[in-house]
Amino acid sequence: MTEITWFLTAGFALLVILGVPFAISIPLVISGALIAADIEPAFLAQSVISGSQQFSLLAIPLFMLAGELMSAGGLSQRLVDFASTLVRHLRGGLAMVTVLAALVFSAISGSAPATTAAIGAIMIPAMVTAGYDRAFAASIAVSAGVLGPLIPPSIAFVIWGIVAEQSIGRLFLSGIVPGIVLAFGLLVICWGHAWRNDVPRLPRASIREAATAFARGRWALASPLVVLGGIYGGIFTPTEAAAVSCVYALLVGLFIEKQLQLSALPAIFFRAMRTSAIVCAIIAVSAGFGILVAQEQIATRFAAWMAANISEKWMALAALNIAFFLLAAVMDEIAIMVILGPMLIAIANRFGVDPIHFGAIIVTNVSIGMAAPPIGYCLFIGMAISGLSLTRISRAIWPQILWMLVVLFLTTYVPSFALMFQPAAR
């Protein structure tokens, strides 16, 4: 291997093991490779600038901001109230409210951590008060947050669309069926937990109460319709849709719900900027990493090695899923997509996997990683809200993880499962 290859593989692995943040370790690796190969150091600055100047990247901070505005403006509470009137009387109904509210909020925020935080902060204390085990309450909020990257619009699909140079709108559509099937399985798990533990049911909501909750929540429920209707109606692009989401959330929060205060906006903007900066920094500095990987033909050689040693497509996809699941348990999901993207795409092309189908596989893997022990982002949010240890929540979440793996299996080996809503070829 050349010096550049050593830096990009062994050097990067060493920094990850040492716990160096990805936004720092990537430029360090690139700098070492440039010095070793006697390449002009300005390459790093040029690649960072080119990597950050992509129009689609604007969708990430804008969707982050939309989620923060929706939560602060009280729309997440409206979603919970409406969902409660529909299913709270069923066995496990309050836990089901968490899943249904997260399903709708996911179509607003596009983010697993944002969905977990917004819905979990309301529902975890409510479930504990109603007699649910605290660890289960936290685990179902974390699991429901996983719907964030699957239900369109999705930040994870935006990132993969940039990396793979695929239609973000078509990628959005590929997450609908996996997301809905995942939500259905979580509802069954909620019922089973309540049945085994004899959790008391809540009284059925009256028609008047349901109608009132719907009227109060209509602006929150309309948000996904506005955003997705605009995208697939050809009115605006996914990036422009993110801006529309922000304006919508701001106007509703300030002038209709009137729970959003002007004095709170600086803190809301700061939270969204802080999260977005981490994501965008990784993507920007990874542009140079990807260029060097392509120059050294690392992805191409690895894909050729897999093709020579694995003859069947289903075996290659199984190997990728296992590797991705293990990596996602110990490594940042966004970094995996951005850094390993060229290699994953080369493998998919080698085995003839449809690029949109492959994007659904990757994002489903990423979604599971958000909840998988030991470092899933949503797990730590659940820990902060519930006050429980990582061990307690990890023990409670395994039934949900197993169902997520079933959904991943269907997404991987039944292409129509992910491609059901794709537009017909012209």
Side-chain angles (χ1 to χ4, degrees):
M1 292 194 295
T2 65
E3 294 92 340
I4 294 179
T5 303
W6 275 110
F7 271 100
L8 296 180
T9 54
F12 179 71
L14 177 62
L15 291 177
V16 169
I17 292 171
L18 294 175
V20 179
F22 293 104
I24 297 175
S25 60
I26 296 171
L28 284 178
V29 166
I30 296 173
S31 299
L34 296 179
I35 293 171
D38 195 24
I39 299 175
E40 174 59 47
F43 168 85
L44 176 58
Q46 292 169 348
S47 64
V48 169
I49 293 172
S50 65
S52 60
Q53 291 183 333
Q54 301 181 64
F55 178 68
S56 298
L57 274 178
L58 283 173
I60 297 172
L62 290 173
F63 276 128
M64 293 281 190
L65 178 59
E68 293 285 353
L69 290 170
M70 290 280 182
S71 181
L75 296 186
S76 55
Q77 181 66 60
R78 298 297 192 201
L79 292 175
V80 168
D81 292 343
F82 176 63
S84 179
T85 64
L86 298 179
V87 297
R88 72 185 188 195
H89 59 282
L90 302 175
R91 189 177 292 278
L94 199 60
M96 293 180 184
V97 170
T98 305
V99 177
L100 295 179
L103 185 67
V104 179
F105 193 83
S106 296
I108 299 171
S109 71
S111 164
T115 302
T116 301
I119 303 302
I122 300 169
M123 292 308 304
I124 292 176
M127 282 190 281
V128 172
T129 301
Y132 287 85
D133 175 69
R134 184 179 293 271
F136 174 79
S139 72
I140 204 66
V142 169
S143 304
V146 166
L147 297 169
L150 289 173
I151 302 298
S154 158
I155 292 173
F157 275 126
V158 171
I159 294 172
W160 184 254
I162 294 170
V163 172
E165 299 181 350
Q166 295 295 322
S167 165
I168 293 175
R170 290 188 64 198
L171 287 170
F172 281 171
L173 290 174
S174 71
I176 293 176
V177 174
I180 291 175
V181 173
L182 174 58
F184 176 78
L186 294 179
L187 293 175
V188 174
I189 290 172
C190 293
W191 178 88
H193 174 85
W195 181 77
R196 289 193 307 272
N197 294 276
D198 198 25
V199 177
R201 301 185 189 189
L202 296 177
R204 182 189 294 269
S206 65
I207 295 177
R208 178 185 293 274
E209 187 178 356
T212 300
F214 176 78
R216 290 176 176 174
R218 65 188 183 277
W219 294 103
L221 294 168
S223 178
L225 299 178
V226 171
V227 174
L228 297 178
I231 293 173
Y232 297 112
I235 301 173
F236 36 70
T237 67
T239 302
E240 292 164 345
V244 171
S245 294
C246 292
V247 175
Y248 183 92
L250 186 63
L251 294 178
V252 171
L254 286 174
F255 301 115
I256 297 176
E257 297 294 344
K258 297 182 179 179
Q259 292 192 29
L260 189 60
Q261 303 297 321
L262 288 174
S263 59
L265 291 181
I268 292 171
F269 286 132
F270 177 77
R271 288 197 300 270
M273 288 170 58
R274 182 177 57 188
T275 308
S276 303
I278 297 171
V279 176
C280 293
I282 292 174
I283 294 173
V285 298
S286 295
F289 193 97
I291 293 171
L292 293 177
V293 166
Q295 175 183 302
E296 293 296 298
Q297 296 184 325
I298 296 174
T300 305
R301 292 204 301 265
F302 184 75
W305 177 86
M306 282 197 69
N309 291 274
I310 301 178
S311 58
E312 300 292 337
K313 182 168 78 171
W314 73 268
M315 293 178 64
L317 290 175
L320 283 177
N321 277 334
I322 293 170
F324 214 103
F325 181 77
L326 295 175
L327 282 172
V330 296
M331 185 176 174
D332 178 82
E333 292 78 12
I334 294 169
I336 294 175
M337 286 196 294
V338 175
I339 296 168
L340 300 183
M343 185 178 301
L344 295 170
I345 294 165
I347 294 169
N349 292 338
R350 190 84 176 192
F351 287 92
V353 183
D354 180 90
I356 301 299
H357 177 214
F358 191 64
I361 296 172
I362 295 298
V363 172
T364 303
N365 259 306
V366 166
S367 303
I368 296 172
M370 293 285 188
I375 69 161
Y377 283 167
C378 294
L379 281 174
F380 290 102
I381 295 172
M383 289 166 56
I385 297 172
S386 65
L388 297 176
S389 67
L390 176 63
T391 303
R392 285 282 308 279
I393 299 179
S394 297
R395 287 175 180 169
I397 204 171
W398 280 111
Q400 293 94 299
I401 295 291
L402 291 175
W403 177 245
M404 292 176 197
L405 293 176
V406 171
V407 174
L408 176 60
F409 179 88
L410 293 172
T411 304
T412 302
Y413 294 111
V414 185
S416 59
F417 185 74
L419 303 178
M420 185 179 298
F421 292 108
Q422 293 298 312
R426 295 180 179 178

